[in-house]
Amino acid sequence: MTAHVINGKELVSSVREQFKQEVSELAEKGIQPGLAVVLVGDDAASAVYVRNKAKACEAAGIYSVVHRLPAETSQEELLKLISELNGDAAINGILVQLPLPKHIHEETVLDAIDVAKDVDCFHPVNVGNLMIGKKGFLPCTPAGVIEILKRMDVQISGKHAVVIGRSNIVGKPMAMLLLREHATVTVCHSKTPNMEEITRQADILIAAVGRAQMIKAKHVKPGAVVVDVGINRMESGKLAGDVDFDDVVETAGMITPVPGVVGPMTITMLLKNTIEAAKRANGLV
Ligand code: GUN
């Protein structure tokens, strides 16, 4: 059996087209959603992600501004910028690209972002709202994964979903969103013994470990839907997911290649959150 390989270009462009349409409808009301992205330091991967986010905004008609700050920026300077952006009416969403330099306390910075502008859904209030199922922002990568599953007509309700990884950005909120969709959810992590016994029970397997090509065919139930959230730079310079694609493609029923599906869909969910923030700021939802 060879898996259905999801075509990210097709999938993502149809979702972005829908948001572009929403932005043009807002423009008719004199509203332009605005996103501020803050990048501190010169992490090469972060610079690429930030550039892609700004480009996607531009293509959708969303105003975007990127604040590129030097690595030695103090926490106070960063907090001052966030405070200014919190008060800027042209800005509906604020995203501070992670990781931050070591001397900056990440939690303090994320907590300083206005809850209504927290389009990453990293603020404890928004995380709490997610946990209790209250309406609000959804974190971009997990929301993107759900969007992919739904658009591919994958049934989630009643299925066993296994998430590998327990990060605050992906693993934990991913489990929560799958639960919301009525999946039975198991979370595996680095201390899980006999992990493959568990992952082999998954109808839907989400890999968010951050280790290149760690998930092999032996981890996958034949016919399972495999979503690869990982993006790792190999020594050769090539990008690879957490899933060993060539090995797993023969066993899975459906698979997302890396790069090209989860990454662009994550950015698409950022556009969605920014549009939602602008609507809320203007009393439209
Ligand atoms: N770094 C890696 N992923 C993310 C993300 O989703 N948001 C932000 N702000 N930084 C990241």
Side-chain angles (χ1 to χ4, degrees):
M1 181 180 190
T2 300
H4 174 140
V5 179
I6 294 177
N7 180 333
K9 259 209 176 87
E10 228 172 73
L11 185 67
V12 170
S13 66
S14 71
V15 187
R16 287 201 189 173
E17 210 41 57
Q18 188 185 320
F19 294 137
K20 196 170 165 182
Q21 181 60 33
E22 277 192 44
V23 173
S24 65
E25 282 165 23
L26 286 175
E28 284 167 20
K29 297 185 168 77
I31 297 164
Q32 185 182 29
L35 175 72
V37 179
V38 181
L39 173 63
V40 188
D42 38 34
D43 181 75
S46 289
V48 174
Y49 297 145
V50 163
R51 202 160 43 241
N52 288 341
K53 287 169 186 176
K55 267 191 355 207
C57 281
E58 194 186 319
I62 293 174
Y63 166 70
S64 80
V65 56
V66 180
H67 294 267
R68 291 185 174 81
L69 307 179
E72 54 285 1
T73 301
S74 70
Q75 183 165 305
E76 287 63 36
E77 285 171 299
L78 181 55
L79 290 173
K80 184 167 173 282
L81 172 61
I82 289 173
S83 167
E84 283 164 16
L85 295 171
N86 281 343
D88 185 342
I91 297 300
N92 304 110
I94 303 170
L95 180 149
V96 177
Q97 186 67 29
L98 303 179
L100 287 168
K102 296 264 179 294
H103 66 278
I104 296 177
H105 190 238
E106 196 174 285
E107 213 176 290
T108 305
V109 171
L110 297 180
D111 287 3
I113 296 172
D114 182 344
V115 170
K117 297 190 178 188
D118 171 38
V119 285
D120 253 332
C121 192
F122 287 171
H123 192 287
V125 168
N126 286 324
V127 175
N129 285 339
L130 165 71
M131 186 88 183
I132 60 175
K134 216 169 144 181
K135 220 170 152 40
F137 294 124
L138 298 181
C140 300
T141 301
V145 171
I146 299 289
E147 186 74 29
I148 291 163
L149 294 174
K150 288 189 172 172
R151 298 248 170 191
M152 297 310 296
D153 288 326
V154 173
Q155 191 190 331
I156 308 174
S157 177
K159 297 294 179 185
H160 187 187
V162 175
V163 180
I164 316 172
R166 53 173 160 178
S167 69
N168 287 338
I169 294 187
V170 186
K172 284 187 223 167
M174 187 74 253
M176 214 44 63
L177 288 188
L178 287 162
L179 207 50
R180 261 196 191 192
E181 299 295 332
H182 315 293
T184 302
V185 184
T186 306
V187 181
C188 296
H189 49 80
S190 54
K191 300 284 192 290
T192 304
N194 307 322
M195 198 177 75
E196 62 197 68
E197 277 176 25
I198 298 168
T199 58
R200 267 207 306 266
Q201 295 170 27
D203 303 305
I204 301 168
L205 184 61
I206 317 275
V209 211
R211 282 198 18 221
Q213 300 179 332
M214 193 196 126
I215 304 306
K216 309 283 184 192
K218 67 175 182 184
H219 294 95
V220 178
K221 176 164 89 174
V225 175
V226 177
V227 180
D228 191 352
V229 176
I231 184 141
N232 311 282
R233 179 82 55 188
M234 309 276 277
E235 266 177 35
S236 64
K238 254 187 84 176
L239 290 174
D242 292 346
V243 175
D244 185 338
F245 183 88
D246 293 340
D247 197 32
V248 170
V249 74
E250 301 299 333
T251 304
M254 194 182 281
I255 187 166
T256 63
V258 173
V261 186
V262 173
M265 192 59 98
T266 294
I267 295 179
T268 309
M269 295 299 106
L270 175 66
L271 306 180
K272 181 182 187 193
N273 282 348
T274 306
I275 294 167
E276 192 181 310
K279 283 185 180 170
R280 262 192 245 134
N282 288 279
L284 294 176
V285 281

